[in-house]
Amino acid sequence: MTIGIMEVDLVDAHGLSKSDFFNKIDPYVVIQYRSQEHKSTVAKGEGKNPNWNEKFTFRVEYPGADEQPKLVLKIMDHDTLSSDDYLGQTTIYLKDLLELGVENGTAELRAQKYSVVDSSQSYAGDVRVGITFTPKVEDETYGQEFGGWKENQW
């Protein structure tokens, strides 16, 4: 098993749609990888075309328990007086990226657009995201450890 760091670069979104036409959209993104979760800042007043330019890191074990590791980005609309509204989500499958990272020492998906779909599976805009995976390089001293104890050189 390889352990590494996945860096997610949340760039921006375009054409986000909302069923409520009376309110402006104050979007934010909840990014989930397995049991880990990060939340972007709220793009207050930026409406349907917000810019975030934020980076988030996740600890990755590959291969892990699931056969098809994925990153889920849920786009939400922050509401002050009521609960936040779900605008849509996109899912990015990571198996190929993680395999390349393990093989080459690092792998990158440059920032690109991913379609956002709402709860009725209708197109609800695009979100632009880049992802980098870098396996952690093991320290050479680990090779001399036995059951957590280092062998003494007497």
Side-chain angles (χ1 to χ4, degrees), residues 66-150:
D66 50 354
E67 302 232 347
Q68 187 57 266
K70 62 188 176 201
L71 190 70
V72 177
L73 291 90
K74 292 183 181 176
I75 292 77
M76 304 292 292
D77 175 27
H78 175 74
D79 289 326
T80 306
L81 302 175
S82 62
S83 61
D84 294 353
D85 298 318
Y86 172 81
L87 298 178
Q89 73 179 39
T90 191
T91 301
I92 303 169
Y93 292 95
L94 302 169
K95 186 176 182 183
D96 292 342
L97 175 75
L98 300 180
E99 283 178 354
L100 273 173
V102 169
E103 200 174 294
N104 299 334
T106 189
E108 178 183 11
L109 284 174
R110 294 192 186 277
Q112 57 186 307
K113 288 181 184 178
Y114 294 92
S115 292
V116 174
V117 293
D118 63 17
S119 52
S120 65
Q121 298 301 304
S122 297
Y123 174 78
D126 294 308
V127 63
R128 197 158 51 119
V129 179
I131 306 170
T132 305
F133 172 64
T134 307
K136 185 177 176 185
V137 177
E138 289 190 19
D139 193 336
E140 290 180 25
T141 59
Y142 290 145
Q144 299 170 5
E145 290 184 24
F146 300 97
W149 296 89
K150 285 190 179 178

Side-chain angles (χ1 to χ4, degrees), residues 6-12 28-41 52-60 70-76 86 88-92 94 127-131:
M6 177 173 59
E7 185 175 82
V8 177
D9 184 13
L10 176 63
V11 182
D12 56 20
Y28 67 92
V29 181
V30 177
I31 305 169
Q32 299 169 319
Y33 174 73
R34 292 188 177 150
S35 63
Q36 301 169 66
E37 184 175 285
H38 292 291
K39 180 181 164 187
S40 74
T41 57
W52 288 286
N53 292 314
E54 295 179 39
K55 291 187 187 301
F56 304 91
T57 57
F58 294 85
R59 181 180 186 274
V60 174
K70 62 188 176 201
L71 190 70
V72 177
L73 291 90
K74 292 183 181 176
I75 292 77
M76 304 292 292
Y86 172 81
Q89 73 179 39
T90 191
T91 301
I92 303 169
L94 302 169
V127 63
R128 197 158 51 119
V129 179
I131 306 170

